């Protein structure tokens, strides 16, 4: 929990015998899921956070981001909000399946089974069960997710949220950033001083533009005419078992429908063809009816229009000195695999502990160099995964057999082949174990890299590894405790063999003021095969930093690495 309230008092720091007054340690611009995650993570470390958000307090977000990845849920578990999120969204017994049909109400082609909330921890059958994680994925729309993250964030004493507030200017110096805030209701401006700024202000980010960063990549991959509808009678027309996501595959109009509340509200994506350059190039109503498989007598109401453009864009820099970018401010891509928001949450949890280390002073300011060095290559990798998948989906929509709805043997064969192809292509998107757990930080200045190459990974598969840079393989202790629940807020030393004396190293960490948690796993019988070394050193975000069978000959070099003061081990 936070220990200081920036709304009621200023922090005072002495630098070079001069008094510098800070209104907060960090200004987070934008209070969407990424900004709220960053604010919560910082506040739980005792860092004070001011948030600037242009919307009203608790103003509903757009209907998007239908999926919280397992990796994000692992972070939310650490932040103490995973169970709250898990209890929200679709009804607890509503299937989270992905189904492909000739229309939403038509003939079923294939189905990807995904457990409902009530069976999420216990189900063992299906392509995204049995993962080595304490927190499986969760299907929940942002309209339910964001209010819970907001409530959790503002419950921390160290978080001050300013709604209807726009950042209009920023000026950096060697010690901090002066930020001009405009109250959108009173039109009054105020200048606040903070140590750091994090731009979590979306695709049109002011912060990104202010630091001179530019989005580079593919401007347009596809246009999607998206409509949020109220259709209470639709669920009664659905044949067979309900699903979270419906793909409509026919020659009239291909599209996707997401169940938002499991009862009467639905999000309909109409994937426009390259020959349809504008959102209104096709009739919205008729397209919706073709996707749903209903006639002109079916009644529904449009709640909002949510049209969007799929892109693959990355900022050419994620940082300028004391100002950082995260989430859509840093990268935009087609939201396949749900990895727009989830990549932003990974940005936030990476940046939080680095900022904390620099602000608390136990690490050198240069530890912040790790943020861009780690996150930029990963977001670039993921963006290519997603773009390649989007292009395969576009190709598949163009290749729908003309007789897919024919009630004869040839039609049945066409449906069977299309279903098999759809499953093979999309199971890796919706059950993306590789994207969740396979990425690794190569080239980070605060990781003791080895000559061994990290295991390759795909969207759907990965190999657990303790190689420095990889995610620490999860396992359940013999008493049922998650390994991740034992990790500390800085670094954690995991010992697999109690004959190795680590007390001297722990004492040295204490002398260097490096937060170090010791976790003795020597007597655990459930360790995965990936644990071949006697000692594993990992970070608060669960990535491995160093491993060995004995402590390094020069522990001072390792301490320097942990503090961001060295780029390589001696």
């Amino acid at each position: 929990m936070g220990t200081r309230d920036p709304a009621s008092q200023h922090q005072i720091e002495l630098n070079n015998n001069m008094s510098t007054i800070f209104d907060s340690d960090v200004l987070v611009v934008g209070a969407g899921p990424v900004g709220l995650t960053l604010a919560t993570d910082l506040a739980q470390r005792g860092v004070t956070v001011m948030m600037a958000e242009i919307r009203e307090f608790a103003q509903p977000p757009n209907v998007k981001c239908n999926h919280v990845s397992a990796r994000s849920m692992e972070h939310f578990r650490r932040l103490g909000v995973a169970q709250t999120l898990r209890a929200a969204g679709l009804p607890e017994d509503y299937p989270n399946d992905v189904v492909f049909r000739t229309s939403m109400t038509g003939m079923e082609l294939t189905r990807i089974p995904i457990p409902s909330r009530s069976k999420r921890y216990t189900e063992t059958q299906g392509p995204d069960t049995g993962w080595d994680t304490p927190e499986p994925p969760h299907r929940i729309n942002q309209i339910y997710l964001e209010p819970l993250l907001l409530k959790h964030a503002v419950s921390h004493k160290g978080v001050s949220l300013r709604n209807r507030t726009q950042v209009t200017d920023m000026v950096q110096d060697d010690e901090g950033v002066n930020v001009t805030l405009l109250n959108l209701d009173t039109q009054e401006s105020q200048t606040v001083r903070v140590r750091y700024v994090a731009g979590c202000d979306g695709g049109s980010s002011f912060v990104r533009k202010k630091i001179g960063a530019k989005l580079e990549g593919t401007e347009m991959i596809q246009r999607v005419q998206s409509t949020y509808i109220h259709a209470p009678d639709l669920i009664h027309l659905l044949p067979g078992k309900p699903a979270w996501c419906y793909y409509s595959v026919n020659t009239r109009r291909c599209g996707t429908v997401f169940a938002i509340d499991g009862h009467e509200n639905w999000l309909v994506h109409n994937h426009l063809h390259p020959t349809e350059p504008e959102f209104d190039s096709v009739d919205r109503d008729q397209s919706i009816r073709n996707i749903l498989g209903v006639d002109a007598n079916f009644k529904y109401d449009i709640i909002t229009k949510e049209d969007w453009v799929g892109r693959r864009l990355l900022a050419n820099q994620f940082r300028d000195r004391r100002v950082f970018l995260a989430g859509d401010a840093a990268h935009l891509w087609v939201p396949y695999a749900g990895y727009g928001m989830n990549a932003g949450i990974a940005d936030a949890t990476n940046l939080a502990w680095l900022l904390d280390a620099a602000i608390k002073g136990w690490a050198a300011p240069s530890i912040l160099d790790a943020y861009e060095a780690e996150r930029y290559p990963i977001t670039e990798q993921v963006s290519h995964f997603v773009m390649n998948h989007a292009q395969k989906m576009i190709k598949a929509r163009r290749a729908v057999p003309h007789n897919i709805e024919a009630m004869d043997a040839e039609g049945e064969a066409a449906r069977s082949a299309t279903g098999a192809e759809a499953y093979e292509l999309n199971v890796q998107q919706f059950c993306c174990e590789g994207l969740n757990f396979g990425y690794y930080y190569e080239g980070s200045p605060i990781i003791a890299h080895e000559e061994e190459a990290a295991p390759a990974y795909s969207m759907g598969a990965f190999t657990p590894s303790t190689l420095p840079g990889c995610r620490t393989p999860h396992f359940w202790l013999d008493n049922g405790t998650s390994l991740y629940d034992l990790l500390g807020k800085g670094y954690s030393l995991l010992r697999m063999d109690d004959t190795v004396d680590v007390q001297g190293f722990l004492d040295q960490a204490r002398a260097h003021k490096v937060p170090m948690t010791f976790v003795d796993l020597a007597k655990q019988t459930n360790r995965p095969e990936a644990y071949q070394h006697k000692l594993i050193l990992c970070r608060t975000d669960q990535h491995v930093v160093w491993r060995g069978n004995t402590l390094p000959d020069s522990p001072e070099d390792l301490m320097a690495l942990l503090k961001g003061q060295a780029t390589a081990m001696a």
Side-chain angles (χ1 to χ4, degrees), residues 116-128:
S116 63
R117 286 199 290 115
S118 64
K119 299 178 180 178
R120 185 67 267 195
Y121 290 108
T122 57
E123 182 62 66
T124 58
Q125 301 299 313
D128 77 339

Side-chain angles (χ1 to χ4, degrees), residues 135-150:
E135 293 293 343
H138 181 42
R139 271 72 187 181
I140 180 174
N141 190 272
Q142 189 172 334
I143 62 173
Y144 302 117
L145 171 72
E146 187 176 304
L148 297 174
L149 294 179
L150 173 63

Side-chain angles (χ1 to χ4, degrees), residues 1-3 36-49 75-82 149 152-153 155-159 352 356 360 489 540:
M1 299 288 286
T3 58
L36 292 168
T37 300
L38 177 57
T40 299
D41 205 338
L42 288 168
Q44 290 190 0
R45 299 172 186 278
V47 175
T48 58
V49 183
H75 292 306
F76 287 142
R77 181 187 181 99
R78 176 173 58 82
L79 297 177
V81 73
L149 294 179
H152 189 60
S155 71
H156 293 82
K157 185 179 178 183
V159 175
D356 175 55
K360 297 284 181 59
K489 290 184 179 296
T540 180

Side-chain angles (χ1 to χ4, degrees), residues 5 71 86 112 121 208 234 238-239 275 295-296 336 362 370 402 448 455 487 497 510-511 518 538 562 565:
D5 186 355
R71 193 72 180 102
R86 188 79 68 182
I112 301 171
Y121 290 108
R208 183 184 67 238
L234 183 57
L238 300 176
T275 56
D295 60 24
Y336 283 112
W362 63 260
H402 71 279
L487 304 185
D497 185 335
R510 189 176 301 108
F518 175 54
C538 61
L562 301 184
Q565 295 173 331

Side-chain angles (χ1 to χ4, degrees), residues 254-493:
C254 291
T256 311
V257 183
F258 288 95
I260 301 302
D261 63 356
H263 297 292
E264 56 190 19
N265 293 333
W266 313 85
L267 183 62
V268 184
H269 291 333
N270 173 21
H271 304 285
L272 301 184
H273 302 303
T275 56
E276 300 165 343
E278 304 298 333
F279 289 124
D280 293 327
S281 295
V282 298
D283 184 277
R284 186 180 297 263
D285 173 69
Q286 188 57 54
S287 295
I288 290 173
R289 294 182 186 279
N290 286 336
I291 292 168
L292 301 184
V294 298
D295 60 24
N297 295 319
F298 180 79
K299 295 181 180 179
Y300 70 90
D301 295 311
I302 294 178
I303 302 173
T304 56
K305 296 178 181 179
E306 304 281 343
D307 302 341
W308 51 271
V309 176
R311 315 175 189 274
R312 193 201 75 83
L313 297 172
L314 272 73
N316 60 351
Q317 62 187 81
F318 284 12
R319 176 194 181 189
D320 175 28
R321 294 168 291 165
R322 291 179 170 269
V323 180
F324 299 81
L325 303 177
D328 285 355
H331 41 76
L332 291 166
W333 54 63
V334 182
Y336 283 112
Y339 265 76
M341 178 190 72
N342 290 290
I345 289 169
D347 293 342
T349 54
N350 181 287
L351 181 58
W353 81 274
L354 295 172
L355 284 172
D356 175 55
I359 291 168
K360 297 284 181 59
W362 63 260
S366 54
I367 197 172
L368 295 169
D369 295 342
Y371 176 68
E372 187 172 75
E374 293 181 353
R375 292 305 304 161
Y376 185 89
I378 296 304
T379 52
E380 185 175 35
Q381 285 178 33
V382 173
S383 73
H384 281 289
F385 273 128
V386 173
M387 184 177 74
N388 291 340
H389 187 82
Q391 291 172 336
K392 292 176 182 178
M393 289 296 293
I394 292 170
K395 182 179 179 180
R397 285 191 288 270
R398 294 174 183 167
V400 176
H402 71 279
N403 62 340
I404 195 167
E405 295 177 285
M407 302 304 294
D408 56 25
E410 290 184 355
E412 179 62 33
R415 288 189 290 276
S416 178
T418 300
E421 292 170 2
Y423 185 95
E424 183 66 24
L425 176 59
N426 287 281
V427 68
Q428 61 183 322
Q429 174 196 171
F430 291 106
C431 305
C432 46
E433 188 177 17
L435 279 188
N436 272 274
F437 309 130
Y439 68 88
Y440 51 91
Y441 292 141
E442 185 177 32
S444 169
I446 57 171
I447 286 175
H449 298 286
E450 300 179 3
E451 292 185 2
E452 178 184 336
Y457 70 100
S458 64
M459 287 182 71
F462 85 112
T463 301
S465 174
T466 62
L467 187 77
C470 293
R471 165 184 170 269
T472 303
H474 176 265
F475 67 94
W476 297 96
L477 274 62
D478 293 346
N479 64 3
T481 299
S482 166
L483 170 64
Y484 289 174
D485 292 346
L486 301 180
L487 304 185
K489 290 184 179 296
Y491 294 101
S492 295
L493 180 63

Side-chain angles (χ1 to χ4, degrees), residues 512-552:
H512 281 267
K513 297 182 168 50
V514 173
M516 185 73 64
T517 299
F518 175 54
V519 182
D520 196 346
L521 302 170
K523 292 181 170 56
Q524 298 303 313
T525 61
N526 197 34
R527 296 198 305 265
E529 291 183 4
Y531 284 92
Q532 297 296 313
H533 293 73
K534 296 179 180 180
L535 298 173
I536 308 290
L537 186 62
C538 61
R539 315 187 315 197
T540 180
D541 64 354
Q542 299 140 2
H543 282 270
V544 177
V545 177
W546 170 89
R547 64 181 179 176
N549 290 317
T550 61
L551 289 169

